[in-house]
Amino acid sequence: MLNDIYNKRIIELAGNIPRLGRLPAPDASATAHSKLCGSTVKIDLMMDADVVTDFAHDVKACALGQASSSIMARHVVGSTAGELRALRETVRKMLKENGAPPSDGKWADIALLEPVRDYKARHASTLLTFDAVVDAIGQIEAKSNAGASQPTPA
């Protein structure tokens, strides 16, 4: 039962989270919080055009929130905004609609989170890092679009 979701690999990921901390001057920061379990993930993101160039996070979450944050931190730099939005949707569908996890590539470890599908109360904490990253991307794009619509001074 719970052994399925708290397996050895999940515990390893949760215990070895890269990129912990905060960035000194991020392009955007976002926080995602689960009211159900109290888990919180704060992320800082830097982007150059559509590509993530730096990432840091402060993770105060259960083992599942830690594991998903660990997976994100390992692969987010170099990813595009579109890729990360699609990833969040893939994980959401995997948990809530019996969708398939990524089957290969750099995000293949997401499949380790598939057993969480059967534990609705754990969905929110598992999705925190994905929600925060997409929020930060939206902030960066909004700033960029606002700047692009400003007239240039003569």
Side-chain angles (χ1 to χ4, degrees), residues 13 17-19 41 43-45 52 55-57 59 65-80 83-85 87-88 91 106-107 109-110 113 126-134 137:
L13 286 165
I17 305 172
R19 298 183 167 274
V41 173
I43 68 106
D44 293 328
L45 199 62
V52 174
F55 172 88
H57 54 172
V59 181
Q66 291 173 21
S68 60
S69 292
S70 183
I71 293 167
M72 176 65 76
R74 292 167 197 279
H75 305 294
V76 67
V77 173
S79 297
T80 66
E83 175 186 355
L84 292 165
R85 281 193 175 99
L87 177 67
R88 195 253 318 246
V91 175
K106 67 183 180 181
W107 300 110
D109 278 349
I110 297 295
L113 300 168
T126 304
L127 288 166
L128 290 175
T129 191
F130 305 100
D131 291 341
V133 166
V134 169
I137 289 168

